[in-house]
């Protein structure tokens, strides 16, 4: 679904109540209250999630699917229950919901399993200029291995995907379109349902990198029309070490395993090995059990807030960020103007000051942001910069924190003799 701010309901709790659920937000950094604006890198965790991990370790810890003792049965029920919760959140079947380590691994799974068995010499893969390295490097590798070619769909001057240019690339008959749902640099929300229709009409499959969309948007796989969709729990207020790959069942059924070992086989004979049914076929070895259980709690928490309301809150926050940052002299903003296709991820360049220096001075103010190429070097090249500073908001950020970011930027200009 592509939500709009106008139809979105309000959050069921006040901002103060939501903030109070995050213990870390009460801490100080460099003598100042923490203003955490590095959510695009990883989000903070609500107490409910922290406690669910603690509860798992204290009372249910055992390996899954193997034992017949009580703890193992409990752990298995919790792990498979977590899968059911996540599958429901995605509008997917449990067999289409594969637990992996992160979004990066989810995309690598598709590249190596689907890519190696379906790509051949001369095939084409469309990427976009706004992709994170996670949705570039695996395709580069598998394309080199199979003799396939990569095409790059450009962005326009405002940082939106150029759909006309994409349509032209689709005329070349690619096998696959790989696209981010939300750009981790520009904050652009791509119209995935429309892109999926375009890809399918051209006979291509679509792989969506949902790493930044997971914490921001309602995700319904049939509505989006994604063939593969990757999310990562730690950016969604959940634990590190867990990602989810959604894949359409017909596709996953045909694909060979990615990682071989325990749990993913039906039978191992000396000269014949057969695979377990979905989803186990793609989950070799001991999975991230506690992380999955903690993530299920996160998903329940997010669903209670309602992702339409979370999105509307972030669209409003992004508007405030863009307005306030626009007042800072010498500041160049990247990405589209405020609106429902703009998440609260704002990258900028401050004339005369390197992004790392900006970030360091902001840290003295207790404001946490990110500086660098954000694992999007082709995009940096397209924007004509080596690095940007990125402030990325979450559902718990306040206007006051954005105002402190802006104060810090004025201070950085003074420190560098510019203000
Ligand atoms: C758009 C995007 N894709 C993929 C990733 C990779 O996520 P992970 O490191 O959790 O695999 C990130 C993380 O920054 C991202 O922003």
């Amino acid at each position: 679904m592509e939500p709009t701010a106008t139809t979105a309901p309000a959050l069921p709790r006040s901002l103060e109540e939501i903030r109070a659920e995050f213990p870390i937000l009460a801490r100080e950094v460099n003598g100042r209250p923490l203003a955490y604006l590095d959510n695009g890198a990883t989000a903070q965790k609500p107490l409910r999630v922290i406690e669910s991990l603690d509860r798992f370790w204290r009372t249910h810890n055992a390996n899954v699917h193997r034992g017949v003792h009580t703890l193992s049965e409990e752990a298995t029920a919790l792990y498979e229950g977590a899968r059911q919760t996540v599958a429901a959140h995605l509008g997917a079947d449990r067999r289409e919901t594969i637990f992996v380590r992160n979004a990066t691994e989810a995309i690598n799974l598709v590249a190596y399993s689907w890519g190696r068995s379906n790509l051949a010499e001369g095939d084409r893969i469309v990427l976009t200029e706004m992709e994170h390295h996670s949705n570039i490097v695996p395709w580069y590798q598998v394309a080199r291995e199979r003799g396939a070619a990569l095409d790059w769909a450009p962005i326009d001057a405002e940082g939106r995907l150029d759909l006309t240019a994409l349509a032209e690339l689709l005329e070349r008959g690619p096998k696959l379109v790989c696209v981010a749902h939300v750009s981790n640099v520009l904050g652009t929300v791509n119209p995935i349902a429309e892109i999926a229709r375009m890809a399918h009409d051209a006979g291509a499959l679509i792989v969506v990198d949902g790493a930044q969309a997971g914490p921001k948007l309602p995700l319904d796989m049939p509505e989006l029309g994604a063939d593969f969709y990757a999310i990562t729990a730690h950016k969604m207020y959940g634990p590190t070490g867990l990602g989810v790959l959604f894949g359409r069942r017909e596709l996953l059924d045909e694909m060979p395993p990615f990682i071989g070992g325990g749990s993913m086989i039906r039978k191992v004979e000396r000269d014949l090995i057969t695979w377990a049914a979905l989803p186990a076929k793609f989950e070799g070895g001991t999975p991230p059990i506690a992380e999955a259980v903690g993530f299920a709690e996160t998903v329940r928490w997010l669903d209670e807030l309602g992702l339409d309301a979370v999105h509307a809150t972030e669209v409003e926050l992004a508007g405030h960020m863009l307005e306030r940052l626009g007042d800072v002299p010498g500041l160049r903003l990247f990405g589209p103007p405020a609106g429902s296709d703009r998440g609260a991820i704002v990258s900028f360049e401050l004339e005369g000051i390197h992004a790392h220096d900006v970030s360091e001075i902001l840290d003295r103010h207790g404001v946490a942001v990110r500086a660098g190429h954000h694992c999007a070097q082709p995009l940096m090249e397209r924007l004509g910069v080596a690095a940007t500073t990125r402030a990325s908001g979450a559902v718990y950020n306040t206007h006051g924190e954005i105002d402190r970011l802006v104060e810090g930027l004025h201070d950085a200009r003074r420190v560098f003799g510019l203000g």
Side-chain angles (χ1 to χ4, degrees):
M1 182 159 53
E2 315 291 343
T4 59
T6 44
T7 54
L11 291 167
R13 299 193 278 284
S14 71
L15 185 52
E16 291 69 33
E17 285 169 327
I18 291 172
R19 287 183 68 81
E21 295 179 62
F22 289 80
I24 205 168
L25 298 182
R27 71 160 284 182
E28 293 196 343
V29 170
N30 295 325
R32 307 287 299 275
L34 169 67
Y36 187 76
L37 293 170
D38 194 18
N39 297 285
T42 200
Q44 300 302 346
K45 323 299 173 198
L47 188 58
R48 253 174 76 170
V49 171
I50 299 169
E51 284 177 348
S52 77
L53 288 164
D54 184 70
R55 199 163 44 244
F56 178 83
W57 294 123
R58 284 175 191 270
T59 51
H60 303 292
N61 180 50
N63 212 331
V64 291
H65 300 145
R66 290 174 197 172
V68 281
H69 59 82
T70 301
L71 286 192
S72 178
E73 280 168 5
E74 286 175 9
T76 302
L78 284 165
Y79 180 69
E80 289 305 325
R83 190 191 313 279
Q84 197 58 58
T85 301
V86 176
H89 181 78
L90 299 175
D93 186 275
R94 55 176 292 285
R95 287 162 294 193
E96 300 176 315
T97 307
I98 314 291
F99 285 138
V100 291
R101 269 192 316 138
N102 46 37
T104 305
E105 187 174 300
I107 297 169
N108 274 268
L109 190 161
V110 182
Y112 286 101
S113 174
W114 185 90
R116 275 189 175 147
S117 19
N118 288 281
L119 292 170
E121 185 80 30
D123 282 344
R124 311 197 79 84
I125 301 170
V126 176
L127 309 178
T128 87
E129 283 182 343
M130 67 170 87
E131 295 315 304
H132 185 281
H133 295 166
S134 297
N135 207 19
I136 298 175
V137 180
W139 302 116
Y140 170 88
Q141 288 177 286
V142 82
R144 292 201 88 166
E145 194 182 298
R146 307 296 303 163
L150 303 180
D151 291 320
W152 296 82
I155 57 169
D156 66 18
E158 287 198 327
R160 293 194 179 92
L161 197 57
D162 180 340
L163 295 184
T164 310
L166 174 65
E168 280 162 21
L169 291 176
L170 289 173
E171 282 170 16
R172 302 168 83 170
K175 280 255 173 91
L176 202 62
V177 174
C178 307
V179 58
H181 197 166
V182 175
S183 159
N184 66 312
V185 175
L186 304 166
T188 314
V189 179
N190 284 317
I192 293 301
E194 188 181 346
I195 297 170
R197 266 192 304 275
M198 290 168 70
H200 291 154
D201 286 349
L205 296 181
I206 177 167
V207 179
V208 184
D209 172 358
Q212 296 292 342
K216 299 190 181 320
L217 296 172
L219 301 178
D220 185 82
M221 293 302 123
E223 257 183 71
L224 288 171
D227 296 299
F228 297 103
Y229 196 104
I231 56 175
T232 194
H234 70 97
K235 293 188 202 287
M236 296 175 69
Y237 310 95
T240 51
L242 184 84
V244 179
L245 172 70
F246 161 82
R248 280 202 297 114
R249 199 173 151 205
E250 311 87 90
L251 297 168
L252 293 176
D253 267 337
E254 293 299 316
M255 286 159 52
F258 174 45
I259 287 177
S263 304
M264 46 69 73
I265 49 83
R266 189 186 305 279
K267 191 161 189 209
V268 177
E269 293 167 278
R270 291 186 184 210
D271 45 17
L272 183 68
I273 302 179
T274 49
W275 315 129
L278 292 174
K281 179 170 80 172
F282 291 108
E283 294 185 4
T286 299
I289 307 165
E291 291 79 0
V293 173
F295 186 46
E297 192 62 30
T298 319
V299 166
R300 281 190 284 273
W301 177 82
L302 268 175
D303 286 342
E304 264 176 44
L305 287 185
L307 276 148
D308 278 320
V310 170
H311 175 63
T313 306
E314 284 205 26
V315 166
E316 195 280 329
L317 185 71
H320 185 70
M321 291 166 89
L322 292 168
E323 189 186 320
R324 294 288 282 116
L325 288 167
D327 287 342
V328 179
L331 189 140
R332 178 181 168 208
L333 286 167
F334 300 102
S340 64
D341 69 345
R342 172 71 199 237
I345 298 176
V346 181
S347 292
F348 56 87
E349 189 184 39
L350 196 51
E351 197 182 358
I353 316 179
H354 192 279
H356 284 124
D357 294 324
V358 173
S359 166
E360 201 194 307
I361 292 172
L362 289 173
D363 188 53
R364 294 185 208 157
H365 290 253
V367 178
V369 297
R370 179 139 301 228
H373 55 60
H374 313 293
C375 300
Q377 284 178 327
L379 177 59
M380 295 293 117
E381 194 195 345
R382 164 69 178 81
L383 299 174
V385 292
T388 72
T389 306
R390 180 186 71 184
S392 49
V395 68
Y396 43 63
N397 287 122
T398 65
H399 282 204
E401 289 175 319
I402 305 306
D403 298 342
R404 285 181 49 211
L405 162 70
V406 170
E407 275 164 36
L409 293 173
H410 284 297
D411 187 37
R413 295 190 77 249
R414 276 192 296 275
V415 170
F416 276 79
L418 298 167

